[in-house]
Structures are given as C-alpha cells and as structure tokens.
Amino acid sequence: MTKQERALHIEGVALIVVNPLGQVLILQELRTKEHFGKYAGMFSHPMETLEPGESDQSGLKRLLKEELPGFPDQIEIEPEPRGAYQIAPRVWARFYAARTTSTSLPTSRGELGEVGGHRWMPPEEALGLWLRQGAREMLTDFVEGKRGVVCKRC
C-alpha cells in the first residue's frame, strides 16, 4: 500500500467487553463524526482509530485509557481479532472480544470525552439501540460466535 493509499485508508480497533453476567459494555457517542459513521446520541461498544503505524495492541490500550477511564484492570482481551469491518468508506476496524471479572462501570469523563453513558446490557437488548455503523454487525457476529469475518459495507 502506498503512502497516498494509506492516507485514504483509516484503521481502528473495536472491543466488545463481556462481564460475568453475560452483559456487554455499551456507551453513547457524544460527538458527531460523519466520516466515521457516528452521530451524537448513537450507541456503540468502544472503538478507537489507530494512529499511523500503531499496532492493534497499542490502540487497544489507548482505547481502554480514553474510552474506559478508571475501568478495573481485570479485563482479558483475546489475542486475535474476530474480524474486520468497514464502518464507513475507507474506514476499517478490527474487532476484538474481551472478558472482565467486574460489573463496575468506567469513570465518567463528562462532556470532555467523545463518549459517555456507559452501561452493561444483554447483547440482545443492545441490538435494539440506535447503533453506529458497524457496531450492529460486530455485535451480531459476536452473539453468533462468528470468527474470521470480513464485512464490507456494513
């Protein structure tokens, strides 16, 4: 991929966190970013854009710090992504699953962050929310236990 092609291609990571009750962590978008297919008020599981040259593992650590502040350290992220999803034109996210032993919620950052309203909910209930592009497909594939998915035009 050339430097120009990379500039036109944005990569990110997405994380579905499951607690001991089988609930998934859902958050609400506070800011609109049309080019990422998200609008204020939509719901999603955590997603983060990677910096150029950044590894998935580094992006996942940053995601935990930025979107899940104060979240307990008892979280285990699967080492391999479950799939790759096109969440907007030229924007792709690799989806990872994680488990936690905690039922607490991340610390709120108020209006300073891009997300808020963190909550635990059954995956089936989360599918009934106004989800950002790609989130519904990732969550559905997670519930169905699918791996190795490549979803174009989610």
Side-chain angles (χ1 to χ4, degrees), residues 23 66 74 134 136 143:
Q23 300 168 320
E66 293 177 9
Q74 309 100 335
R136 179 173 315 286
V143 168

Side-chain angles (χ1 to χ4, degrees), residues 44-99:
S44 181
H45 45 81
M47 294 189 199
E48 185 65 44
T49 304
L50 295 176
E51 299 295 332
E54 184 177 27
S55 70
D56 284 6
Q57 289 67 34
S58 176
L60 288 165
K61 286 180 187 176
R62 194 163 45 79
L63 178 149
L64 291 172
K65 181 180 176 185
E66 293 177 9
E67 294 199 2
L68 307 177
F71 196 70
D73 290 331
Q74 309 100 335
I75 183 169
E76 184 178 334
I77 301 173
E78 293 178 353
E80 298 296 323
R82 292 204 177 189
Y85 297 75
Q86 184 177 25
I87 59 173
R90 296 183 305 276
V91 180
W92 286 79
R94 282 177 292 284
F95 151 54
Y96 289 80
R99 296 210 172 271

